[in-house]
Amino acid sequence: MQTKYLALPGPTMVNNEVLKEMTSEVFNHRGKDFYKVLQNLTEKTQQFLNTKNQVYYLTASGTGAMECAIVNSFSRGDKLLALINGAFGQRYADIAKTYGLEVIEFHGKWGQSFDYNKIKNTIDEIENLAGITVIQGETSTGVVNDLKKISEIKDEDTLLIVDGISSIGAEYIDIDGWGIDVIITGSQKVLALPPGLAIACLSDKALEAYNKSDLPKYYWDIGKYKKFAEQGQTPYTPAISLIKAAEKQLERMAEQGMGKEVQRHQIIAKMTREGIKALGLELFTEEGCRSNVVTPIKSPHGIKVAELRKLMLEKYNVEVAGGQGKLKETVFRIGHLGNVDPLFMISVLTALEMSLMELGYDVDLGTASKAAQEVLYNKK
Ligand SMILES: Cc1ncc(COP(=O)(O)O)c(C=O)c1O
């Protein structure tokens, strides 16, 4: 079988050993074995997230976890400031509106960092601000938002609700130090598992807010997850096979040293950017806030995103993502998260070079991969 290069910002490639766990025997989630697995997984997840806060496992994609974060933290009519500089920031706002929150949308430019002074002024103008939602890694635009700054400019009573779905493990974060009240992640991103498992991590302050929250919830009622977690269980049948795979993957990560994940992603991201720049292509994301997870690139004049992606996939078996929302026609994105390594990125860049050349773009073959390799030897 020809190797498939999944250069998407999720789902990401799953290691074979981890994949094998998915086929191991299914067992009782109310028994002793599951208790042990959940205890071990919880410990490893807390190490991965570098937090003392409790973590909960949800059978859902990332969006389910976003909804879970909202319904457990707020009450009808609460004021929520939604920081939006991409498609996922808007999604948090839309979910909150669905549940009757008073949502104040703060819009930044797509592909750029927020103006944090303006955010501060907005915060100061809102009386009784219950919470702020923000995406750490805006996968749609390749921007990393500065959670530390946001934590510094908000009041202590205002809950900080973060989407770390694609960024957790690839970007630096200090959940406890920055007072992040709710943060969520998904299995198909840096954790490099099949999709379907989400993790929510809640501070004590978030759990206090839960006790006061009057938003409707049943499946997402985090109080039930908390009660069952104390007995080493989940309230409803969990995705047992995914939980086993997650345990395996986190054990692998622990063996390699948990703190090393961010650095590994940083290097591969830099290789990608240098390769792209060497080809004379333009990065969509402004310098200073570029993500370790995904690199959005403006398609060169005369080359259609759809055509480029089709050629890369059909001829070279490399799958890159298109632009999201309003960027669909003009931007393509290379994902570089999860089980990625230097040779993976060199292969992806090489396929890109060849495809661009075949579509008529003036390319000196080997330029991108050379620039990427030089990153490894600190020449860039
Ligand atoms: C930052 C971010 N938030 C939310 C989501 C939505 O996750 P899902 O598609 O798993 O529901 C994604 C998925 O790409 C994402 O990257």
Side-chain angles (χ1 to χ4, degrees):
M1 193 181 76
Q2 201 186 340
T3 312
K4 177 128 183 203
Y5 299 86
L6 220 49
L8 301 172
T12 58
M13 291 172 303
V14 184
N15 171 277
N16 280 342
E17 223 186 309
V18 173
L19 210 49
K20 240 185 3 211
E21 282 299 322
M22 294 289 294
T23 59
S24 63
E25 209 174 344
V26 169
F27 57 104
N28 180 13
H29 63 289
R30 301 286 179 224
K32 266 198 243 150
D33 287 346
F34 189 79
Y35 176 89
K36 274 195 228 145
V37 170
L38 204 66
Q39 294 294 98
N40 186 27
L41 181 60
T42 300
E43 204 181 289
K44 295 277 180 316
T45 306
Q46 285 170 323
Q47 280 170 20
F48 172 63
L49 298 175
N50 188 22
T51 183
K52 293 196 182 69
N53 289 345
Q54 188 57 50
V55 291
Y56 303 100
Y57 300 93
L58 315 171
T59 305
S61 80
T63 308
M66 292 173 90
E67 183 155 340
C68 176
I70 298 292
V71 297
N72 285 294
S73 306
F74 301 108
S75 293
R76 264 173 260 255
D78 270 356
K79 285 184 197 160
L80 178 85
L81 179 65
L83 304 181
I84 303 168
N85 56 355
F88 294 109
Q90 186 65 54
R91 189 173 297 182
Y92 246 152
D94 293 345
I95 294 170
K97 280 188 233 166
T98 306
Y99 282 95
L101 268 72
E102 191 187 323
V103 178
I104 301 121
E105 294 190 359
F106 181 97
H107 286 270
K109 284 214 175 94
W110 281 40
Q112 296 185 15
S113 165
F114 282 120
D115 180 336
Y116 292 95
N117 289 328
K118 270 199 192 153
I119 295 181
K120 164 129 187 46
N121 294 340
T122 307
I123 290 173
D124 290 345
E125 279 164 18
I126 307 169
E127 247 177 75
N128 299 324
L129 179 60
I132 298 176
T133 52
V134 63
I135 314 296
Q136 186 187 24
E138 216 352 308
T139 326
S140 59
T141 63
V143 167
V144 184
N145 292 313
D146 192 337
L147 300 179
K148 182 165 186 273
K149 264 200 192 125
I150 297 166
S151 77
E152 284 164 359
I153 57 182
K154 73 167 193 63
D155 288 347
E156 217 183 306
D157 295 341
T158 305
L159 293 176
L160 182 53
I161 312 291
V162 174
D163 168 344
I165 289 174
S166 67
S167 60
I168 287 280
E171 308 288 349
Y172 179 73
I173 194 162
D174 183 358
I175 295 176
D176 300 355
W178 299 344
I180 293 170
D181 295 297
V182 181
I183 185 151
I184 51 175
T185 189
S187 54
Q188 80 277 26
K189 305 283 186 180
V190 174
L191 277 173
L193 296 164
L197 183 70
I199 301 172
C201 173
L202 275 76
S203 71
D204 290 344
K205 192 151 63 96
L207 290 170
E208 276 168 34
Y210 158 79
N211 287 327
K212 289 186 249 149
S213 155
D214 69 3
L215 293 184
K217 46 193 157 286
Y218 188 89
Y219 191 68
W220 291 141
D221 186 333
I222 211 73
K224 292 182 195 147
Y225 288 80
K226 182 172 183 299
K227 197 167 133 221
F228 277 79
E230 283 154 14
Q231 303 152 37
Q233 292 185 17
T234 54
Y236 313 108
T237 313
I240 298 171
S241 311
L242 267 171
I243 295 260
K244 277 292 289 172
E247 185 190 29
K248 183 73 173 178
Q249 173 67 356
L250 282 161
E251 274 171 0
R252 288 181 73 243
M253 285 173 158
E255 275 164 26
Q256 287 154 18
M258 287 288 192
K260 291 190 181 147
E261 289 298 310
V262 173
Q263 201 191 6
R264 181 171 59 84
H265 281 84
Q266 240 164 17
I267 293 168
I268 308 287
K270 187 155 189 234
M271 288 176 72
T272 316
R273 291 193 294 262
E274 292 305 327
I276 293 301
K277 285 194 271 178
L279 284 174
L281 301 183
E282 207 182 325
L283 299 173
F284 173 76
T285 317
E286 164 185 86
E287 200 169 350
C289 58
R290 289 176 182 152
S291 118
N292 292 335
V293 158
V294 62
T295 298
I297 300 143
K298 292 185 188 171
S299 195
H301 185 67
I303 293 183
K304 290 205 170 86
V305 170
E307 256 175 4
L308 177 65
R309 291 183 61 216
K310 186 166 181 280
L311 183 59
M312 288 181 75
L313 180 61
E314 289 179 359
K315 190 154 181 193
Y316 299 108
N317 237 0
V318 171
E319 189 144 28
V320 298
Q324 212 162 348
K326 59 188 179 188
L327 305 177
K328 191 168 184 277
E329 307 285 330
T330 52
V331 166
F332 64 97
R333 294 173 298 156
I334 298 183
H336 32 79
L337 68 163
N339 290 322
V340 288
D341 60 20
L343 273 188
F344 165 83
M345 190 41 67
I346 288 166
S347 306
V348 171
L349 288 169
T350 304
L352 174 65
E353 270 184 359
M354 294 190 287
S355 305
L356 284 171
M357 189 189 68
E358 289 165 36
L359 290 171
Y361 184 73
D362 187 14
V363 176
D364 206 359
L365 291 175
T367 309
S369 52
K370 181 169 185 281
Q373 286 170 68
E374 282 175 353
V375 169
L376 292 174
Y377 299 102
N378 289 327
K379 288 192 187 155
K380 291 254 173 203

